[in-house]
Amino acid sequence: MGLELYLDLLSQPCRSIYIFARSNNIPFEFKHVELMKGERATMSLRESGFRVQKHLLSLTSFLEVIAILLYLARKFETPDHWYPSDLQKRARVDEYLSWQHVNIRGKGSKLFLTKVLLPLLTGQPLPPEKLESVTEELNIVLNQFEEKFLQDKPFIAGSEVSLADLVALVELMQPVGAGYDLFEERPKLAEWRRQVEEAVGKQLFQEAHEGILNAKNLTADKIAPELLEHFKHQLLKQAS
């Protein structure tokens, strides 16, 4: 059995894996999972009886995604810059991946859930003060990202793209999909985005993000009832 990847491209981690595999010419069979319709709620890598999986609905299973990315990098001997053998560069990649889960991922996902899904759940327009609050939370971590990780470098680990850049940019496209252009007034971030897209292939990047960039047009009838309940629980948890 060849490599099978079960992915929903509305999910940030799924997009990271999809783009990484495609940009490195890794042969795989793409198994499309439509999470919003209530289809199987796991994403997995399966190959010759070996399986790594994560629950797509969970925000705490990011390590499984990194495990899949590293497995693909090692198994298919992708170029060294993705996960550098140089220990200092690798430390920068690891540092970002450790930091980003509750920062870029956490705040970006919160804005997406609040801006896109909260109005669907309540049937009411989003209160401006609520949007302002989650936007400010995201902007705080964006400042930290620029100052701590990008600094004056083209990429997080230096002069070449790495897994850290791919994971970071894919996460940042989630609030963009909600209609918040966080790159508009951040020239350093916008230039970094351009370089990451060029490194992985602009057409591939756009293809992978076609669905999420239309997410702001999502309607409640397109979401399975059990998922609406899940998202409601997530938003209530974040508000507590």
Side-chain angles (χ1 to χ4, degrees):
M1 181 177 69
L3 178 66
E4 297 177 348
L5 294 175
Y6 293 78
L7 307 170
D8 182 346
L9 297 184
L10 291 180
S11 158
Q12 308 95 300
C14 288
R15 295 197 301 273
S16 293
I17 292 170
Y18 180 81
I19 292 170
F20 180 72
R22 286 280 308 277
S23 67
N24 284 284
N25 298 312
I26 294 173
F28 69 95
E29 184 176 355
F30 177 35
K31 301 287 189 177
H32 185 206
V33 180
E34 292 193 76
L35 180 60
M36 289 298 180
K37 292 184 179 180
E39 292 185 3
R40 52 178 292 170
T42 60
M43 174 206 69
S44 70
L45 171 154
R46 185 166 60 187
E47 183 183 31
S48 302
F50 174 70
R51 183 184 180 100
V52 178
Q53 70 177 42
K54 74 177 285 288
H55 294 286
L56 288 178
L57 294 181
S58 173
L59 292 178
T60 60
S61 51
F62 180 70
L63 289 178
E64 285 91 336
V65 178
I66 300 304
I68 291 174
L69 288 169
L70 292 180
Y71 173 83
L72 293 175
R74 291 161 178 158
K75 166 79 175 181
F76 294 96
E77 298 180 343
T78 58
D80 184 74
H81 62 80
W82 286 109
Y83 194 61
S85 54
D86 179 280
L87 293 181
Q88 291 187 359
K89 291 180 180 179
R90 180 177 292 189
R92 295 297 289 168
V93 174
D94 290 338
E95 181 184 23
Y96 174 77
L97 295 176
S98 298
W99 175 84
Q100 80 106 28
H101 180 57
V102 296
N103 291 285
I104 293 293
R105 177 167 173 75
K107 306 308 180 186
S109 295
K110 185 175 182 179
L111 187 146
F112 178 84
L113 291 172
T114 301
K115 199 169 189 295
V116 174
L117 294 176
L118 187 59
L120 296 183
L121 294 170
T122 63
Q124 300 294 324
L126 182 65
E129 63 274 13
K130 181 65 175 177
L131 179 58
E132 183 179 345
S133 173
V134 296
T135 302
E136 178 59 24
E137 289 181 19
L138 177 58
N139 278 314
I140 288 171
V141 297
L142 288 176
N143 289 339
Q144 294 171 351
F145 176 68
E146 288 188 298
E147 294 166 6
K148 179 178 176 62
F149 293 100
L150 280 188
Q151 299 173 352
D152 58 353
K153 307 183 303 266
F155 299 104
I156 292 173
S159 60
E160 294 182 285
V161 71
S162 71
L163 289 177
D165 298 285
L166 175 59
V167 169
L169 182 53
V170 167
E171 290 289 348
L172 291 179
M173 294 304 292
Q174 210 74 359
V176 173
Y180 176 56
D181 187 357
L182 54 89
F183 299 99
E184 187 174 17
E185 296 182 2
R186 293 178 177 271
K188 180 190 294 186
L189 207 61
E191 175 59 16
W192 165 77
R193 172 187 176 178
R194 184 191 66 78
Q195 293 183 101
V196 175
E197 286 189 16
E198 283 190 358
V200 301
K202 191 172 181 65
Q203 183 175 348
L204 169 60
F205 191 86
Q206 292 175 339
E207 171 197 323
H209 286 85
E210 183 177 355
I212 198 62
L213 291 178
N214 290 313
K216 57 182 175 292
N217 301 319
L218 195 64
T219 54
D221 62 302
K222 296 179 181 178
I223 307 176
E226 62 271 24
L227 288 179
L228 284 174
E229 282 301 310
H230 169 80
F231 292 135
K232 183 177 181 180
H233 174 74
Q234 286 291 108
L235 287 167
L236 289 174
K237 183 178 177 181
Q238 290 176 355
S240 61

